[in-house]
């Protein structure tokens, strides 16, 4: 989902604003391409001239994060430190620290099912999606040797730093950066006086205060097994975040096997289990990381273990999984 829309296609799409009168406040919606997807801001406002300033600031913040956290941009902070930090500590930004620290904590709690050092393996599968050719076993083995969250050391003894154990490592924050960017966009909107807002980045949405006169933002939860049907459930959310991971958009189908863009580090392959996970948590950085992690856990240890991870993280979730040709749905109270 990190790269579902090609930057070239998006080049001509700039800020698009539309308004709908609602009660005293106006609903304002704005779209802008960032992080290889379309970001959407919705807010309610009595003073539209100020809203435009707030929206600009929020999108600028997301663009700043893209410059730090992208694995696509060769000169991103992430890509630069992956080279510079081999064998010794190098300073990193607070943003990169926040995302890497959350990632390493999730890696610890999932025994490496969630692992942002899988960059070399993820890139092999990205190529496979493009070419339709499976990566060789030796290629996967070599890429796996250059991966492993224990080879990444993230510290903050007053100033944040990272170190990598071996050359050729590549970090990939595609499973967590959009959730953090949604959180940060929302924070900027609140700081500018617009708490009744949401920031959405494809499968990751962060919600602020509820819209005027409502208990929350109506949010449809789609289901992986019925992508063309209407939403299976509508939640009213505020001051929370929701993320969905699945293979409905990004997958490779090779020799009759469907490989997800989410990699199982135990096999070095894209998930071959059909699974979709939706997580509701306090913040996007949590829901985004967890929905990806729970997808891997569902393949490794089954759907109950995936739900258990979500529960232990003070979050709620839905896991939909295909077993023996049948779709099964597991849910923690949501
Ligand atoms: P999401 O759409 O949030 O589930 O994130 C999927 C993206 O996360 C993939 O496109 C990869 O960039 C990255 N990714 C794939 N497998 C893993 C994994 N096991 N741990 C962490 N990130 C992963
Ligand atoms: Mg994710």
């Amino acid at each position: 989902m990190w790269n579902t829309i090609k930057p070239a296609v998006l080049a001509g799409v700039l800020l698009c604003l539309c308004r709908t009168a609602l009660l005293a406040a106006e609903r304002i919606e704005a779209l802008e391409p960032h992080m290889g997807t379309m970001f959407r801001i919705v807010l309610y406002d009595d003073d539209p001239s100020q809203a435009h300033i707030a929206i600009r600031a929020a999108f600028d913040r997301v663009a700043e994060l893209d410059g730090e956290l992208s694995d696509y941009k060769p000169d991103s902070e992430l890509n630069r430190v992956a080279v510079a930090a081999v064998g010794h500590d190098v300073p990193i930004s607070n943003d990169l620290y926040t995302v890497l620290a959350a990632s390493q904590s999730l890696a610890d709690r999932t025994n490496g099912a969630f692992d942002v050092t899988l960059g070399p393996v993820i890139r092999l599968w990205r190529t496979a999606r493009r070419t339709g050719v499976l990566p060789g076993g030796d290629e996967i083995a070599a890429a796996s040797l250059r991966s492993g969250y224990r080879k990444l050391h993230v510290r903050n003894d007053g100033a944040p730093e990272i170190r990598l154990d071996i050359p050729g490592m590549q970090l990939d924050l595609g499973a967590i950066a959009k959730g953090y960017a949604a959180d940060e966009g929302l924070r900027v909107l609140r700081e500018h006086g617009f708490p009744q807002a949401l920031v959405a980045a494809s499968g990751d949405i962060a919600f602020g205060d509820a819209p005027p006169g409502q208990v929350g933002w109506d949010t449809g939860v789609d289901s992986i097994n019925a992508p063309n049907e209407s939403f299976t459930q509508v939640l009213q959310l505020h001051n929370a975040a929701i993320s969905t991971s699945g293979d409905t958009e990004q997958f490779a189908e090779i020799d009759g096997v469907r490989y997800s863009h989410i990699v199982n580090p135990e096999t070095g392959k894209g998930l071959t289990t059909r699974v979709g996970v939706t997580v509701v948590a306090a913040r996007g950085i949590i829901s985004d990381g967890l929905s990806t992690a729970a997808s891997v856990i569902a393949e490794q240890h089954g759907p109950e273990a995936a739900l258990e991870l979500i529960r232990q993280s003070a979050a709620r979730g839905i896991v939909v999984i295909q077993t023996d040709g049948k779709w099964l749905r597991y849910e923690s109270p949501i």
Side-chain angles (χ1 to χ4, degrees), residues 1-3 71-72 112-118 122 126 129 172-178 202-204 243-246 250 260-265 271 287-289 291-293 295-296:
M1 302 217 187
W2 181 252
N3 194 32
D71 66 297
Y72 281 90
F114 185 90
D115 188 343
V116 295
T117 72
L118 282 170
I122 289 167
R126 247 186 231 161
R129 282 203 296 284
D172 183 326
L173 301 176
I176 191 166
K178 283 200 267 75
S202 56
D204 305 291
S243 292
T244 298
S245 290
Q250 289 200 62
S260 164
H261 64 131
I262 299 174
V263 166
N264 180 348
L271 300 182
S287 59
D288 192 2
S291 62
T292 313
S295 301
V296 181

Side-chain angles (χ1 to χ4, degrees), residues 13 18 28 32 36 50 54 57 62 96 129 135 138 140-141 154 161 172 198 210 221 247 256 282 289 307:
V13 186
C18 46
I28 299 185
E32 211 172 88
Q50 292 307 306
V62 172
L96 187 52
R129 282 203 296 284
D138 48 348
I140 292 176
V154 184
E161 293 177 323
D172 183 326
L198 71 76
V221 180
D247 67 358
L307 272 190

Side-chain angles (χ1 to χ4, degrees), residues 161-199:
E161 293 177 323
I162 69 160
R163 175 166 47 84
L164 301 171
D165 283 348
I166 56 168
M169 291 178 68
Q170 281 159 348
L171 306 178
D172 183 326
L173 301 176
I176 191 166
K178 283 200 267 75
Y180 179 60
D183 290 340
E184 285 296 289
L186 197 62
R187 187 178 61 73
V188 169
L189 294 174
R190 188 180 285 276
E191 274 175 12
H192 279 73
F194 297 94
Q196 294 173 312
L198 71 76
V199 179

